[in-house]
Amino acid sequence: MRIDGRRPEQPRQTRVQPGILETAEGSALIEAGNTKVICSATVENRVPTFLRGTGRGWVTAEYGMLPRSTSTRTPRLGAQGRPSGRTFEIQRLIGRSLRTAVDMEKLGERTITVDCDVMQADGGTRTASITGGWVAMACAITQLLKFNVIAASPLRHYVAAISVGVVDGVPMLDLCYEEDSRADVDMNVVMTSAGEFVELQASAEGDTFDREQFDAQLRLAQKGIEGLIAAQRDLVTL
Amino acid sequence: MRIDGRRPEQPRQTRVQPGILETAEGSALIEAGNTKVICSATVENRVPTFLRGTGRGWVTAEYGMLPRSTSTRTPRLGAQGRPSGRTFEIQRLIGRSLRTAVDMEKLGERTITVDCDVMQADGGTRTASITGGWVAMACAITQLLKFNVIAASPLRHYVAAISVGVVDGVPMLDLCYEEDSRADVDMNVVMTSAGEFVELQASAEGDTFDREQFDAQLRLAQKGIEGLIAAQRDLVTL
Amino acid sequence: MRIDGRRPEQPRQTRVQPGILETAEGSALIEAGNTKVICSATVENRVPTFLRGTGRGWVTAEYGMLPRSTSTRTPRLGAQGRPSGRTFEIQRLIGRSLRTAVDMEKLGERTITVDCDVMQADGGTRTASITGGWVAMACAITQLLKFNVIAASPLRHYVAAISVGVVDGVPMLDLCYEEDSRADVDMNVVMTSAGEFVELQASAEGDTFDREQFDAQLRLAQKGIEGLIAAQRDLVTL
Amino acid sequence: MRIDGRRPEQPRQTRVQPGILETAEGSALIEAGNTKVICSATVENRVPTFLRGTGRGWVTAEYGMLPRSTSTRTPRLGAQGRPSGRTFEIQRLIGRSLRTAVDMEKLGERTITVDCDVMQADGGTRTASITGGWVAMACAITQLLKFNVIAASPLRHYVAAISVGVVDGVPMLDLCYEEDSRADVDMNVVMTSAGEFVELQASAEGDTFDREQFDAQLRLAQKGIEGLIAAQRDLVTL
Amino acid sequence: MRIDGRRPEQPRQTRVQPGILETAEGSALIEAGNTKVICSATVENRVPTFLRGTGRGWVTAEYGMLPRSTSTRTPRLGAQGRPSGRTFEIQRLIGRSLRTAVDMEKLGERTITVDCDVMQADGGTRTASITGGWVAMACAITQLLKFNVIAASPLRHYVAAISVGVVDGVPMLDLCYEEDSRADVDMNVVMTSAGEFVELQASAEGDTFDREQFDAQLRLAQKGIEGLIAAQRDLVTL
Amino acid sequence: MRIDGRRPEQPRQTRVQPGILETAEGSALIEAGNTKVICSATVENRVPTFLRGTGRGWVTAEYGMLPRSTSTRTPRLGAQGRPSGRTFEIQRLIGRSLRTAVDMEKLGERTITVDCDVMQADGGTRTASITGGWVAMACAITQLLKFNVIAASPLRHYVAAISVGVVDGVPMLDLCYEEDSRADVDMNVVMTSAGEFVELQASAEGDTFDREQFDAQLRLAQKGIEGLIAAQRDLVTL
């Protein structure tokens, strides 16, 4: 029995509410247990320098935490002058994960920026950002299709992510903050609706891990992601 | 008739939802029309250098906008390295306004930091931050009393704020963004439940203004603030 | 009787000396009691992005304090990496105030930058910067007319500013530093030679204030500004 | 046949030269093909705040590239004001990897900082930094033992790292820059001399990947790391 | 005949006005031709870390230029985020030069910070800062003696500085801006009242220079500095 | 006898190894005693704004120290956000010194950036950077000639630099770190193969110095530079 009453292989209750911001092309609020992330997607008619004139688009992501998303206050970025290393690591992960979902030729010379702002943090904010960010991006693409900005959908597949960890020797799915801070191995898995991997990051926090442990964790993650993609299918049809 | 169907003296529908963050000592979501601000209050056992050893507390505020709170994306603070001048101006205004509501001796050597993060911006974000920030602060103080951290409430009065402007020669209460960008005079008023002023800022954006216009605007603001304080009374008893 | 021997309604001795810098298009040294501010005006053939191609000009201001303008040394901006919130607040106020004095179509696509550098600070540096900055700007405009860069003067009216405060319950005009640090209410008023208001900012520092107090302070300010505009008239003819 | 004549499963020629800096407690120059990284290890009698008084030590890493380590010049960090996101991601990976090699209780309240400065970059700089950084750290620990600063070696095992990628559908070991920029999947693996995993990061750059491909890559990586650890054994005895 | 009518060996008219700031322990305005620098000296009861507990003091300097000290506006430091390389070079020169004038044991554990702010720049601002900065520092020391903070004067000698350059093949003393920008060799000399050197910096701007040219320039500089020290003697008695 | 066994007029063993980086147009490793500096030269087809359209080129330099080039670790630039004042001073000196060696018309509208990165520091890093940087620059120019990018060599002469100091009253050539930190006078001299001066900087660190001492130091420097230029001649023919 886990700290919040779940079984080891049981993910948290996850809800995704699309369209929460009238100001953005696409948006979604994702809640995974007590973790809440506001995701928005912005479409702009420009691409990074290395893509100009290629006819291809780009997807990028930014990640932030509201000062009181954590149980003690975290100073906001602007006060320190720059995002932390952890922030950079997370936003690069989200960006890479969402890029694989998009056919850049069909998107054309446009950039989609997905902003993931954590309202409340209880573990798994980076994986929730990927799952929710995909929905915000899909909403924005729906708008582009609706207004005939693009002719065909550049969405190639659904993309969702979940964490797995080994706590007190037991592999557990979708860690909350308290579990995460006690885990020996921390693993984040990003997969597509075709059952393929996008990112697979496993880190030994305390003890190192062997192949068998790794395989057990991976099985949990695959199962969890299938559930998240089912939820995405309920909201968006490709 | 105004752009959103209101009469000149009619404020926007305003709702304040306290306790929206489990992670913070106090919190509130304020919605004034389409403007939505997440307010949180943090209590810390430290004061700025100039207050150490005086037995007196401090209240300060920070203000931010989520990148897609606006209809085109605003780069987040950390990317530019520092908050803008406008941000500084706003957070100083919020801080000064909320400080007058607190008896610093009763608070003791503690700092309350009120974070106001704009989720969606449609004009009047600084006044909504003051009105909502007061509620978040009051919730945090309720916690301090409940856990006997302090003996008596340091709250001296309710504090709320509203904007007024002159648009096409007509004084209007509680401007939305479109009205604000066309206003000749822009005024922000902060008042207490005792009917006294805390801050009064009137700026000529285009044309200058005379005493008579000023007095007409002030009457609208006083009326609007009475309504907001009535809403605060429904949520918090002093 | 006030700390420096003045009566409550008596402003400080104010002198404005135009043309103190040979290097600038316009300049002035303003002395209000012990407060001394070096003002300069720079004219450049460029405008901010949002004005390009409109045929309209812009006026902006920057404000700084020399390290020993204060009785203990204030670190210079570059050492901390950025101006303080107070600096931003002040330079935005100066900029807005001076913009109302200029017909931007007559100025054409030019930017006037008014720099206000405080040599010695004894209260009222922001209002002295507005009054002296207007003179520096007017000198620069005189140069533009003299060299036929523009055909008609874009100056619409004189603009001057003064502070008022309530000290020990008594409304007083043009506070010196010692009075300012003890004031319950701090008010800055900016007016034109037409008797209209440009900016009106009143802040409760300790106690809040009622309408009657506010009106009394406003009367003092109006009187004080009339005197300052008379001094400007002696130096510059519109 | 690969671009530099190697077979798919063949790593680059790797040489590690310890003790290249007289100024540092430990140092090593690692050359993997044309990639050259200067590694140094610094021991300081301080730990981060969260470890003070616990009797436990810490290991951290920093990573940089000399401006002409790349075939076009990369501006140095100080000129832009801050390290890039990629730099943060890499130095966090190196730090986590080296921490697992150290028994923090045996190290005591000391911090080992491993600096990895790339002199010449031709792919695999992060994995070379881990392999070479381990040697620099081991040299520094040898010094601590020699001067009786610590009683027993805190080194728990050897740690080395290598990259694998899928280029034109073929899994290849230890990618050079040209291969890396064309790879569909990019994988970095960090392992110990006990055959356990420390970090395992696989990213789809273009196409996603399935379980079978992942397993094939992992086998290549394990083989490559065994060779690197053999080289470490020749230099340092645990 | 030079551009401003001087003979090659003739320095500019130089005036030093001490005590121009009521707020500072010591101050002086130095005017050398059209170059005007406001110098102030601050005494604080602290020393840099490396001097704590040694009983010895420190002298340091900062240098800045007002935005319109130059004929086109120079952005102020805070706007760019940091002082330029030239600024660092100059303030280090001023600091080293003034330190040689002070017996640090007699000063005791105090820091004197000399701020040199250029109001108007027409060449030779760094040498004027040294000459004027010495006077500001001497005024501050006079205060320390007057209030018995220190028992004996730590001033060891007068220090002054001047520039020399080779313009169109002719060595000239005390260059104005126009001469400076055309000079082939630029030399700054700092000397004491004992006729000894403190700093001697000669830079080839275009053509290199030989020993004979160097000696001729040095003679001019020595002569010029004697005049400046005579002016310092009129203001301050050691 | 000096600390490292040298006679006062004896320079350190100096070796320059050109071509150490395959990635750069020109490069050299210079070792002067225990001081080791990696120099690289980058050629780019752009010039600073003030040279555009003039047909003339530019030479600039950057200088850095690896964190463990010193016997205690120096934080890297990016961590503090900006280079120190000392760094700016040094890179400006290197840039000015190397510019005199180049005929900018023959170079054409190109910029040569010389990066000097100190691997190990034992005094004299700025002078070693000039001597080694000249070799890296000469290698890059050889490439430009070889590939017919330019028709004739823009190199006008060899340039080398050395330090001299007065330690315990004795003038000594080419100070190591321990001598440098005890020196009363610190002097850096940059000269050409034509026996002319490029830069001459003498600073009193403790005691001031007279003309006779200065002349004695200068004689030592001239002798030392002749030896360094002889070494450059062995590597590069003009």
Side-chain angles (χ1 to χ4, degrees):
Chain A
M1 193 71 120
R2 294 162 70 174
I3 195 164
D4 53 7
R6 287 184 286 151
R7 295 182 310 278
E9 75 283 4
Q10 190 182 353
R12 296 185 284 186
Q13 185 76 23
T14 297
R15 287 184 309 162
V16 185
Q17 188 182 338
I20 56 148
L21 296 176
E22 292 183 26
T23 34
E25 284 85 76
S27 62
L29 174 69
I30 182 165
E31 297 176 71
N34 286 323
T35 288
K36 298 183 191 182
V37 185
I38 300 166
C39 305
S40 69
T42 299
V43 184
E44 289 166 304
N45 286 321
R46 52 168 192 75
V47 285
T49 319
F50 70 93
L51 287 174
R52 280 186 205 145
T54 63
R56 312 188 74 234
W58 189 243
V59 173
T60 186
E62 293 196 7
Y63 170 93
M65 297 181 88
L66 291 193
R68 275 319 291 273
S69 59
T70 45
S71 63
T72 56
R73 186 175 183 272
T74 306
R76 63 183 68 227
L77 296 180
Q80 309 160 294
R82 62 180 178 189
S84 68
R86 176 183 171 273
T87 296
F88 276 121
E89 198 173 277
I90 292 175
Q91 57 198 15
R92 285 163 62 89
L93 170 64
I94 303 169
R96 284 196 310 266
S97 298
L98 297 181
R99 272 198 287 285
T100 61
V102 176
D103 179 325
M104 296 301 177
E105 311 235 325
K106 287 191 183 150
L107 178 58
E109 286 201 17
R110 288 174 187 85
T111 294
I112 300 180
T113 302
V114 176
D115 284 287
C116 301
D117 285 275
V118 180
M119 223 174 121
Q120 199 165 272
D122 187 27
T125 61
R126 74 185 72 186
T127 50
S129 294
I130 292 168
T131 308
W134 186 91
V135 175
M137 183 172 76
C139 292
I141 286 171
T142 302
Q143 290 289 314
L144 293 178
L145 288 167
K146 187 174 152 192
F147 293 108
N148 294 313
V149 178
I150 53 177
S153 173
L155 278 176
R156 299 163 60 187
H157 41 244
Y158 297 84
V159 168
I162 207 158
S163 75
V164 207
V166 176
V167 184
D168 301 332
V170 182
M172 291 178 181
L173 183 64
D174 197 12
L175 306 186
C176 66
Y177 177 75
E178 178 129 358
E179 291 170 339
D180 186 56
S181 59
R182 291 170 44 217
D184 282 322
V185 183
D186 182 19
M187 187 164 160
N188 291 294
V189 182
V190 187
M191 293 185 75
T192 70
S193 44
E196 299 234 313
F197 295 101
V198 177
E199 285 272 341
L200 206 155
Q201 298 192 343
S203 298
E205 295 288 332
D207 278 313
T208 51
F209 55 98
D210 63 21
R211 185 62 195 269
E212 198 178 333
Q213 286 172 307
F214 175 76
D215 287 351
Q217 287 186 268
L218 203 50
R219 276 189 300 271
L220 282 185
Q222 281 177 282
K223 193 80 185 168
I225 287 172
E226 280 166 22
L228 294 170
I229 286 178
Q232 289 178 333
R233 276 188 212 275
D234 288 347
L235 296 169
V236 182
T237 308
L238 286 202
Chain B
M1 193 69 123
R2 293 161 71 175
I3 196 164
D4 51 8
R6 287 185 285 153
R7 294 181 312 278
E9 75 284 5
Q10 191 181 352
R12 294 186 287 186
Q13 185 76 23
T14 297
R15 288 183 308 163
V16 185
Q17 190 182 337
I20 56 149
L21 296 176
E22 292 183 26
T23 35
E25 285 84 77
S27 63
L29 173 69
I30 181 165
E31 297 176 70
N34 286 324
T35 288
K36 299 182 191 183
V37 185
I38 300 167
C39 304
S40 69
T42 299
V43 184
E44 288 166 304
N45 286 322
R46 52 169 191 73
V47 285
T49 319
F50 70 93
L51 286 173
R52 281 186 204 145
T54 63
R56 312 188 74 234
W58 189 243
V59 174
T60 186
E62 293 197 7
Y63 169 94
M65 298 180 87
L66 291 193
R68 274 320 290 273
S69 59
T70 44
S71 61
T72 56
R73 186 175 183 271
T74 306
R76 65 182 68 226
L77 296 179
Q80 308 160 295
R82 61 179 178 191
S84 68
R86 175 184 170 274
T87 295
F88 276 120
E89 197 174 278
I90 292 176
Q91 58 197 16
R92 285 164 61 87
L93 170 64
I94 304 169
R96 285 196 309 266
S97 298
L98 297 181
R99 273 196 287 283
T100 61
V102 177
D103 179 324
M104 296 301 177
E105 310 235 324
K106 288 192 182 150
L107 179 59
E109 286 203 17
R110 287 173 189 87
T111 294
I112 301 180
T113 303
V114 176
D115 284 288
C116 302
D117 284 276
V118 180
M119 222 175 123
Q120 201 166 271
D122 187 26
T125 61
R126 76 185 72 186
T127 51
S129 295
I130 292 167
T131 307
W134 185 92
V135 175
M137 184 172 76
C139 293
I141 285 170
T142 302
Q143 291 288 314
L144 292 179
L145 288 167
K146 187 174 151 193
F147 293 108
N148 294 315
V149 178
I150 54 177
S153 174
L155 278 177
R156 300 163 59 188
H157 40 244
Y158 298 84
V159 167
I162 206 159
S163 75
V164 207
V166 177
V167 184
D168 300 333
V170 182
M172 292 178 180
L173 183 64
D174 196 13
L175 306 187
C176 66
Y177 177 74
E178 178 130 357
E179 290 170 339
D180 185 57
S181 59
R182 290 171 46 218
D184 281 321
V185 183
D186 183 18
M187 187 165 160
N188 291 294
V189 182
V190 187
M191 293 184 74
T192 71
S193 44
E196 299 234 315
F197 295 100
V198 178
E199 285 272 341
L200 206 156
Q201 299 192 342
S203 298
E205 294 288 331
D207 277 312
T208 52
F209 55 97
D210 63 20
R211 186 62 196 270
E212 198 177 330
Q213 286 172 306
F214 176 76
D215 287 352
Q217 287 186 268
L218 203 49
R219 276 190 299 271
L220 281 186
Q222 281 177 281
K223 193 82 186 166
I225 288 172
E226 280 166 23
L228 294 170
I229 286 178
Q232 289 178 334
R233 277 190 210 275
D234 289 346
L235 296 168
V236 182
T237 308
L238 285 203
Chain C
M1 193 69 121
R2 293 162 70 175
I3 196 164
D4 53 6
R6 287 185 285 151
R7 294 182 311 278
E9 76 284 3
Q10 191 181 353
R12 295 185 284 186
Q13 184 76 23
T14 296
R15 288 183 309 162
V16 185
Q17 187 182 338
I20 57 148
L21 296 175
E22 291 182 27
T23 34
E25 283 85 78
S27 64
L29 174 69
I30 181 165
E31 297 176 70
N34 286 324
T35 288
K36 298 183 191 182
V37 185
I38 300 167
C39 305
S40 69
T42 299
V43 184
E44 289 166 305
N45 285 322
R46 52 169 191 76
V47 284
T49 318
F50 69 93
L51 286 173
R52 281 185 205 146
T54 63
R56 312 190 73 234
W58 189 244
V59 173
T60 186
E62 293 196 7
Y63 170 94
M65 298 181 87
L66 292 194
R68 275 318 291 273
S69 58
T70 45
S71 63
T72 56
R73 187 175 183 272
T74 307
R76 63 183 69 226
L77 296 179
Q80 308 159 294
R82 62 180 179 190
S84 68
R86 175 182 171 275
T87 296
F88 276 120
E89 198 174 276
I90 292 175
Q91 56 198 17
R92 284 164 62 88
L93 170 64
I94 304 170
R96 284 196 309 266
S97 298
L98 297 181
R99 273 198 287 282
T100 61
V102 176
D103 179 325
M104 295 302 177
E105 310 236 323
K106 287 191 183 152
L107 179 58
E109 286 201 19
R110 288 174 187 85
T111 293
I112 300 181
T113 303
V114 176
D115 284 287
C116 302
D117 285 276
V118 179
M119 222 174 122
Q120 199 165 272
D122 187 26
T125 62
R126 74 185 73 186
T127 50
S129 294
I130 292 168
T131 308
W134 185 92
V135 175
M137 184 172 75
C139 292
I141 286 171
T142 302
Q143 289 290 313
L144 293 179
L145 287 167
K146 187 174 153 193
F147 293 107
N148 294 313
V149 178
I150 53 177
S153 174
L155 277 176
R156 298 164 61 189
H157 41 244
Y158 297 84
V159 167
I162 206 157
S163 75
V164 207
V166 177
V167 184
D168 302 332
V170 183
M172 293 180 180
L173 183 63
D174 196 13
L175 307 186
C176 66
Y177 177 74
E178 177 129 358
E179 290 170 338
D180 186 55
S181 59
R182 291 171 44 219
D184 282 321
V185 184
D186 183 19
M187 186 163 160
N188 291 294
V189 183
V190 187
M191 293 184 75
T192 70
S193 44
E196 298 234 313
F197 294 100
V198 177
E199 286 271 341
L200 206 156
Q201 299 192 342
S203 299
E205 295 287 333
D207 278 312
T208 51
F209 56 97
D210 64 20
R211 185 62 196 269
E212 198 178 331
Q213 286 171 308
F214 175 76
D215 287 351
Q217 286 186 268
L218 203 49
R219 275 190 300 271
L220 282 186
Q222 282 176 281
K223 193 80 185 167
I225 287 171
E226 280 166 22
L228 294 169
I229 287 178
Q232 288 178 334
R233 276 189 212 276
D234 289 347
L235 295 168
V236 181
T237 308
L238 286 203
Chain D
M1 193 68 122
R2 294 161 70 174
I3 195 164
D4 53 7
R6 287 185 287 151
R7 294 180 312 277
E9 75 284 4
Q10 190 181 352
R12 294 185 286 187
Q13 185 76 24
T14 297
R15 288 183 309 163
V16 185
Q17 188 183 339
I20 57 149
L21 296 175
E22 291 183 28
T23 34
E25 285 84 77
S27 63
L29 174 69
I30 181 166
E31 297 176 71
N34 285 323
T35 288
K36 299 183 190 181
V37 185
I38 300 167
C39 304
S40 68
T42 299
V43 183
E44 288 167 304
N45 285 322
R46 53 169 191 74
V47 284
T49 318
F50 69 92
L51 287 173
R52 281 186 204 145
T54 63
R56 312 188 74 235
W58 189 243
V59 174
T60 187
E62 293 197 8
Y63 169 94
M65 298 180 87
L66 291 193
R68 275 319 292 273
S69 59
T70 44
S71 62
T72 55
R73 187 175 182 271
T74 306
R76 66 182 67 226
L77 295 180
Q80 308 160 297
R82 62 180 178 190
S84 68
R86 174 182 171 274
T87 295
F88 276 120
E89 198 174 277
I90 292 176
Q91 57 197 16
R92 284 163 62 86
L93 170 65
I94 303 170
R96 285 197 309 266
S97 298
L98 297 182
R99 273 197 288 282
T100 61
V102 176
D103 180 323
M104 295 302 178
E105 311 235 325
K106 288 193 182 150
L107 178 59
E109 286 202 18
R110 287 173 189 87
T111 294
I112 301 181
T113 303
V114 176
D115 283 288
C116 303
D117 287 89
V118 180
M119 222 174 122
Q120 200 165 271
D122 187 26
T125 61
R126 75 186 71 186
T127 50
S129 294
I130 291 168
T131 307
W134 185 91
V135 175
M137 183 172 77
C139 292
I141 285 171
T142 302
Q143 291 288 314
L144 291 179
L145 288 167
K146 187 175 152 192
F147 292 107
N148 294 313
V149 178
I150 53 178
S153 174
L155 278 176
R156 299 163 60 188
H157 41 243
Y158 298 84
V159 167
I162 207 158
S163 75
V164 207
V166 176
V167 184
D168 301 333
V170 182
M172 293 180 179
L173 183 64
D174 196 13
L175 306 187
C176 66
Y177 177 74
E178 178 129 358
E179 290 170 340
D180 186 55
S181 58
R182 291 170 45 216
D184 282 321
V185 183
D186 182 19
M187 187 165 159
N188 291 293
V189 183
V190 187
M191 293 184 74
T192 70
S193 44
E196 298 235 315
F197 295 100
V198 178
E199 286 271 340
L200 207 156
Q201 298 192 342
S203 299
E205 295 287 333
D207 278 312
T208 52
F209 55 97
D210 63 21
R211 185 63 196 268
E212 197 177 333
Q213 286 172 307
F214 175 76
D215 288 352
Q217 286 185 269
L218 203 49
R219 276 190 300 272
L220 282 186
Q222 280 176 283
K223 193 80 187 167
I225 287 172
E226 280 166 22
L228 294 170
I229 287 179
Q232 288 178 334
R233 276 190 211 276
D234 289 347
L235 295 168
V236 182
T237 308
L238 286 203
Chain E
M1 194 67 123
R2 293 161 70 175
I3 195 165
D4 52 7
R6 287 184 285 151
R7 294 182 311 279
E9 76 283 5
Q10 191 181 352
R12 294 186 286 186
Q13 185 76 23
T14 297
R15 287 184 309 163
V16 185
Q17 188 183 338
I20 56 147
L21 296 175
E22 291 183 26
T23 34
E25 284 85 77
S27 63
L29 174 69
I30 181 165
E31 297 176 70
N34 286 323
T35 288
K36 299 183 191 182
V37 185
I38 300 167
C39 304
S40 69
T42 299
V43 183
E44 288 166 305
N45 285 322
R46 52 168 192 74
V47 284
T49 318
F50 69 93
L51 287 174
R52 282 188 203 144
T54 62
R56 313 188 73 234
W58 189 242
V59 173
T60 186
E62 294 196 8
Y63 170 94
M65 298 181 86
L66 292 193
R68 277 318 292 272
S69 59
T70 44
S71 61
T72 56
R73 188 176 182 270
T74 307
R76 65 182 68 226
L77 296 180
Q80 308 161 297
R82 62 180 179 191
S84 68
R86 176 183 171 274
T87 295
F88 276 120
E89 197 174 279
I90 292 176
Q91 58 197 16
R92 285 164 62 88
L93 171 64
I94 303 170
R96 285 196 310 266
S97 298
L98 296 182
R99 273 197 288 283
T100 61
V102 176
D103 179 324
M104 295 303 177
E105 310 234 325
K106 287 192 181 151
L107 178 58
E109 286 202 18
R110 286 172 190 88
T111 294
I112 301 180
T113 303
V114 176
D115 284 287
C116 302
D117 285 275
V118 180
M119 222 174 123
Q120 199 165 273
D122 188 26
T125 61
R126 76 185 72 187
T127 50
S129 294
I130 292 167
T131 307
W134 185 91
V135 174
M137 184 172 78
C139 292
I141 285 171
T142 302
Q143 290 289 313
L144 292 179
L145 287 167
K146 188 175 151 191
F147 293 108
N148 294 313
V149 178
I150 53 178
S153 173
L155 278 176
R156 298 163 61 190
H157 41 242
Y158 298 85
V159 167
I162 206 158
S163 75
V164 208
V166 176
V167 184
D168 301 333
V170 182
M172 293 180 179
L173 183 64
D174 197 12
L175 306 186
C176 66
Y177 177 75
E178 178 130 357
E179 290 170 340
D180 186 55
S181 59
R182 289 170 47 217
D184 282 321
V185 184
D186 182 19
M187 185 164 161
N188 290 294
V189 182
V190 188
M191 293 183 75
T192 71
S193 44
E196 297 235 315
F197 294 100
V198 178
E199 285 272 341
L200 206 156
Q201 299 192 343
S203 299
E205 294 288 331
D207 278 312
T208 52
F209 55 97
D210 64 21
R211 185 62 195 269
E212 198 177 332
Q213 286 171 308
F214 176 76
D215 287 351
Q217 286 186 269
L218 203 50
R219 276 190 300 272
L220 282 186
Q222 280 177 280
K223 193 80 186 169
I225 287 172
E226 280 166 22
L228 293 170
I229 286 178
Q232 289 178 334
R233 277 189 210 276
D234 289 347
L235 295 169
V236 182
T237 308
L238 286 203
Chain F
M1 193 69 120
R2 294 161 69 174
I3 195 164
D4 52 7
R6 288 184 286 151
R7 294 181 311 278
E9 75 284 4
Q10 190 181 354
R12 295 185 286 186
Q13 185 76 23
T14 297
R15 287 183 310 161
V16 185
Q17 189 182 337
I20 57 147
L21 296 175
E22 292 183 27
T23 35
E25 284 85 76
S27 63
L29 174 69
I30 181 164
E31 297 175 71
N34 285 324
T35 288
K36 299 183 191 183
V37 185
I38 300 167
C39 304
S40 70
T42 299
V43 183
E44 288 166 305
N45 285 321
R46 52 168 191 75
V47 284
T49 319
F50 70 93
L51 287 174
R52 279 185 206 147
T54 63
R56 312 189 73 234
W58 189 242
V59 174
T60 186
E62 293 196 7
Y63 170 94
M65 297 181 88
L66 292 193
R68 274 320 290 273
S69 58
T70 43
S71 62
T72 56
R73 187 174 182 272
T74 306
R76 64 182 69 226
L77 295 180
Q80 307 160 295
R82 62 182 179 187
S84 67
R86 174 183 171 275
T87 295
F88 276 121
E89 197 174 277
I90 292 175
Q91 57 197 17
R92 285 163 61 88
L93 171 64
I94 303 170
R96 284 196 309 266
S97 298
L98 296 182
R99 273 197 288 283
T100 61
V102 176
D103 179 324
M104 295 302 177
E105 311 235 324
K106 286 191 182 152
L107 178 57
E109 285 202 18
R110 288 173 188 86
T111 294
I112 300 181
T113 302
V114 176
D115 284 287
C116 302
D117 284 276
V118 180
M119 222 175 122
Q120 200 166 270
D122 187 27
T125 61
R126 74 186 71 187
T127 50
S129 294
I130 292 167
T131 307
W134 186 91
V135 175
M137 183 172 77
C139 292
I141 285 171
T142 302
Q143 290 289 312
L144 292 179
L145 288 167
K146 186 174 153 195
F147 293 107
N148 294 313
V149 178
I150 53 177
S153 174
L155 278 177
R156 297 163 62 188
H157 41 244
Y158 297 84
V159 167
I162 207 158
S163 76
V164 209
V166 176
V167 184
D168 302 332
V170 182
M172 292 180 180
L173 183 64
D174 197 12
L175 305 187
C176 66
Y177 177 75
E178 178 129 358
E179 290 171 339
D180 186 55
S181 59
R182 290 171 45 219
D184 282 321
V185 183
D186 183 19
M187 186 164 160
N188 290 293
V189 182
V190 188
M191 293 184 75
T192 70
S193 44
E196 298 234 315
F197 295 101
V198 177
E199 285 273 341
L200 206 155
Q201 298 192 342
S203 298
E205 295 287 332
D207 278 312
T208 52
F209 55 96
D210 63 21
R211 185 62 195 268
E212 198 178 331
Q213 287 172 307
F214 175 76
D215 287 352
Q217 287 186 269
L218 203 50
R219 275 190 300 273
L220 282 185
Q222 281 177 282
K223 193 81 186 167
I225 287 172
E226 280 166 21
L228 294 170
I229 286 179
Q232 289 178 334
R233 277 190 211 276
D234 289 347
L235 296 168
V236 181
T237 308
L238 286 202

